[in-house]
Structure formats: structure tokens, C-alpha cells
Amino acid sequence: MRMFATITVAGAIAGLGYGAAAQDAVQTARAQAEAARTNPYCANVADAAADARFAWQMQTLSSLEKDIEQRIVQLEKKRAEYEEWLRRRNEFLKQADEGLVAIFSRMRPDAAAQQLASLKDEKAAAIIARLNPRISSAILNEMEPGRAAQLTGTLIDSAPRERAAEKS
């Protein structure tokens, strides 16, 4: 009865000449009345369908959460493996540096000067910086003056960076 009254009121409004808006209201009211008559099944199962959709979404989210947790565990294992590898590498490099410094400290100054002169500036300066100052000065004394000045300049340029790194 209520739908009939709505359609009747909408028809009366349309009949009075209120234009396109009234006609749209009439068409909407007719469509709603038709949907209510033809789809009572859909109206009755809408809540059950919404509940089923919610349960499916929760199950999907739960499985995704488990997958993410497994991936986090895998990433943590990889991170721990990488940290161990990095620790061993740094340890090896430290031992290699100490061994290299020991080798240069036992060499004759003229032989060490020839070897260091053929190395890149950063590497040669790093070795000279780690040597005993007496040995470093003897090696630099045996080098060609231009190369010794170049290595000394590299040592001076790297000193503020090392101090800044030590402070932080």
C-alpha cells in the first residue's frame, strides 16, 4: 500500500507540471517498487551474503598476515647471515691490514718506498699512517720528493675526516 501511495503522490506531482525532476522522482519510485516486488530473495539473503564476504575477507587477511610473518622470519635470518659475513670480512681486513703494516715495517726503507710509490694514493697513505712514525719518515725520505709530497697531502686531507668519524 505504501508503494502505491508513493507512486500516486509522485504521479500527482508530475501531473502538476513540476517538470523533469518530478518525472525522475516518479521513475525512481517505480524502479524501487519493481525491485521490491521482483527481488525479495536478494533482500532476504543480503545479510548472510555480507557475513560470508566478511568471513572470507578475514580468512584472506589472516593468510596474508601469516605469509608476511614467514617473510619477516626469512629476512631476519638473511640479515643475521649478512651481519656474520660482514663481521668476518671486517675481521679479515683488519688482520690483513695489520699483516701488511707489519710487512712494510720490516722492509728496508728504500724497498718499501718503491712498493708504496706504485700503490694508489689512498692505499699508500693508509699504510704510511699506520706505520711507526720513525719508519714512515724513513720510507718517505727514500721516495721521490713529488710522490712523498703527494702522499703527505693525502694523509693531511684524510686526517680531518678520520677525526670527524671518531667523534661521531
Side-chain angles (χ1 to χ4, degrees), residues 37-56:
R37 269 187 277 137
T38 59
N39 294 327
Y41 173 76
C42 293
N44 291 336
V45 297
D47 290 336
D51 291 342
R53 186 178 316 114
F54 178 74
W56 175 78

Side-chain angles (χ1 to χ4, degrees), residues 19-34:
Q23 289 176 352
D24 287 342
V26 169
Q27 288 176 352
T28 304
R30 285 182 185 158
Q32 289 174 350
E34 183 67 26

